Amino acid sequence: MSDEIIVRDSNGTQLSEGDSVTLIKDLKVKGTSETIKRGTMVKNIRLNGNPGEIECNTKQVKGLVLKTEFLKKA
C-alpha cells in the first residue's frame, strides 16, 4: 500500500515536483486585481499534499495555489 498522493492535470497526466504546466483558462487571483491569462506557462511547480492543488510562483503573484483542473502539463 502506497500512501503517495498522485497529482494529475486536467488531461489525467501525472504531475511531479518541478514540472512546468500551462493554464487552460483565464483565472482571477483572489485578493488581487490580477488575472492570469490562458496559455501562461508556470515553471517549477511544488506539490502540497493535496491531489487537487499545486503551489507555484508567477511573474505577477508569488506563493500561488492553483487547482489542477485548470492546468495541463507543458
Side-chain angles (χ1 to χ4, degrees), residues 21-70:
V21 294
T22 306
L23 267 64
I24 60 170
K25 182 181 176 187
D26 288 358
L27 296 176
K28 290 191 183 314
V29 181
K30 282 186 182 174
T32 70
S33 58
E34 292 289 337
T35 299
I36 302 175
K37 297 289 182 197
R38 177 180 172 204
T40 301
M41 180 174 284
V42 180
K43 296 180 180 173
N44 203 11
I45 65 169
R46 293 177 307 282
L47 306 180
N48 63 3
N50 183 332
E53 296 177 346
I54 56 129
E55 293 179 6
C56 61
N57 292 328
T58 62
K59 287 182 197 136
Q60 303 97 332
V61 185
K62 304 290 183 228
L64 193 59
V65 175
L66 295 176
K67 290 194 174 283
T68 55
E69 64 196 78
F70 302 123

